């Protein structure tokens, strides 16, 4: 980070749930930032404010005099909170998903763009070391042509989530990271959902899609499993990469370079692959949330390419569009086509 006059940015945080408490910890220790106040109508039951003022709502936070804000309230409150901050001229990072529906996400995006403010979305998986390293390797052609991206994201139900289902809470991670890692937008989506936990929202989705370059994608997401899994598998002509975003490990499985055994005539006729070397890369593993918030800080300061590193609201809007397309597909039993 480059700072001209050494003045710290005044930051505010609204929402002290699980994610909000992590934001408070990082913002409170970040170079070039002063967390001046937090806000939550329910107070600060876990002491996340660490002695800072605990305010009741977004208007009180604005009145504290802040340069930027992080919004970590439930999704249903994203729109009204974000619009209030935009009206006050406050740069804002909204936790994912950007908004509960396409219309609200569009409104937020256009409002921040018209105001000339930095509007960002907290799609934290983009900042996971394994996926950042994977993206660079794909860009450098280490996999050759990409054929398929498969993600699995499953685990127990988080009691903290009450206003959205598994698609907008969890699948949005994979929708965004897949489009970002491959640098390709979605062009079609087909999905099936299930309701097994007695809630009004879906708790399982099996989703298939296609990206603009023809890459086939598949996302399996649920919060019904006692086993926690976060994995992205990218398969291409030279092998496959496996990114485990729980451990931030990246592994490459190469296609074998040895020729097929000549006596296996049937196998010679099949243009397939066989097992080759396996490499697990040693990569630095900084905390993704800190990397994300540092990028947002730099975007507000307009230094060090910060505006290119954050997930813009325009990009967050596209994630909401794809998520809604998946829900529409499941509800209507159709494949939904998307504009690239």
């Amino acid at each position: 980070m480059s700072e001209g006059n050494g003045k710290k940015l005044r930051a505010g945080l609204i929402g002290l749930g699980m994610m909000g408490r992590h934001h408070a910890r990082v913002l409170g220790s970040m170079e070039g930032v002063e967390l001046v106040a937090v806000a939550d109508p329910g107070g600060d039951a876990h002491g996340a404010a660490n002695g800072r003022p605990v305010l009741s709502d977004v208007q009180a936070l604005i009145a504290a005099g802040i340069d930027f804000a992080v919004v970590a309230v439930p999704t249903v409150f994203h729109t009204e909170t974000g619009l209030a901050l935009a009206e006050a001229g406050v740069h804002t990072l909204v936790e994912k998903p950007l908004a509960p529906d396409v219309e609200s996400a569009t409104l937020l995006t256009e409002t921040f763009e018209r105001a000339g403010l930095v509007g960002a979305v907290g799609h934290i998986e983009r900042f996971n070391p394994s996926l950042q390293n994977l993206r660079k390797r794909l860009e450098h052609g280490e996999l050759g042509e990409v054929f398929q991206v498969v993600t699995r994201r499953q685990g127990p139900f988080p009691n903290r989530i009450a206003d959205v289902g598994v698609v907008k809470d969890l699948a949005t991670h994979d929708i965004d990271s897949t489009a970002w890692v491959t640098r390709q937008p979605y062009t079609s989506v087909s999905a099936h959902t299930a309701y097994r936990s007695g809630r009004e929202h879906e708790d399982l989705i099996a989703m298939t899609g296609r990206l603009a370059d023809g890459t086939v994608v598949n996302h399996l997401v649920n919060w019904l499993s006692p086993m926690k899994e976060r994995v992205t598998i990218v398969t291409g002509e030279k092998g496959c990469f496996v990114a485990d975003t729980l451990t931030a490990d990246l592994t490459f499985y190469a296609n074998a370079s040895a020729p097929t055994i000549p006596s296996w005539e049937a196998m010679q006729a099949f243009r397939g692959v066989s097992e080759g070397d396996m490499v697990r890369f040693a990569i630095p593993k900084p905390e993704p949330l800190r990397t994300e918030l540092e990028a947002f800080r730099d975007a507000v300061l307009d230094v060090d390419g910060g505006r290119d590193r954050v997930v813009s609201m325009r990009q967050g809007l596209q994630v909401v569009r794809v998520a809604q397309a998946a829900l529409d597909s499941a509800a209507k039993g159709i494949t939904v086509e998307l504009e690239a």
Side-chain angles (χ1 to χ4, degrees), residues 34-52:
E34 178 187 3
L35 180 59
V36 297
V38 300
D40 193 306
D44 182 18
H46 299 276
N50 198 23
R52 300 176 182 87

Side-chain angles (χ1 to χ4, degrees), residues 61-229:
L61 193 64
I62 291 168
I66 55 176
D67 299 308
F68 76 77
V70 173
V71 175
V73 298
T75 303
V76 68
F77 300 119
H78 283 188
T79 307
E80 62 182 273
T81 305
L83 290 176
L85 290 163
E87 183 179 354
V90 178
H91 303 288
T92 301
L93 182 146
V94 180
E95 263 303 334
K96 62 85 202 157
L98 173 56
D101 53 62
V102 175
E103 293 74 22
S104 298
T106 301
L107 176 60
L108 277 173
T109 299
E110 293 178 348
T111 300
F112 274 85
E113 288 178 348
R114 281 196 304 269
L117 296 167
V118 176
V121 189
H123 283 290
I124 195 170
E125 288 287 47
R126 282 203 197 185
F127 300 90
N128 189 288
S130 64
L131 292 180
Q132 291 203 328
N133 195 271
L134 169 57
R135 187 176 193 251
K136 291 177 183 177
R137 292 179 182 279
L138 293 180
E139 182 183 7
H140 294 155
E142 293 185 25
L143 195 59
E145 182 183 354
V146 176
F147 302 148
Q148 183 183 53
V149 180
V150 173
T151 71
R152 299 193 304 271
R153 182 176 296 271
Q154 54 189 342
F157 171 67
N159 293 323
R160 60 190 173 85
I161 303 297
D163 57 335
V164 295
V166 74
V167 172
K168 291 179 179 175
D169 181 59
L170 286 187
T172 47
H173 280 303
D174 298 312
I175 291 168
D176 179 71
S177 62
T178 295
W180 179 72
V181 162
T182 61
R183 303 171 188 261
Q184 295 292 323
Y186 286 75
T187 56
S188 69
V189 172
S190 179
H192 295 279
T193 56
Y195 301 73
R196 300 295 186 185
S197 60
R199 302 169 67 251
E200 66 171 303
H201 301 293
E202 80 289 342
D203 43 37
L204 176 153
I205 185 168
M207 172 181 165
T208 300
R210 189 177 293 274
L211 306 181
D213 65 350
T215 298
V216 174
V217 302
N218 178 257
H219 305 306
L220 298 177
V221 187
N222 74 68
W223 52 36
L224 297 172
S225 171
M227 175 191 70
K228 193 170 185 180
E229 183 180 38

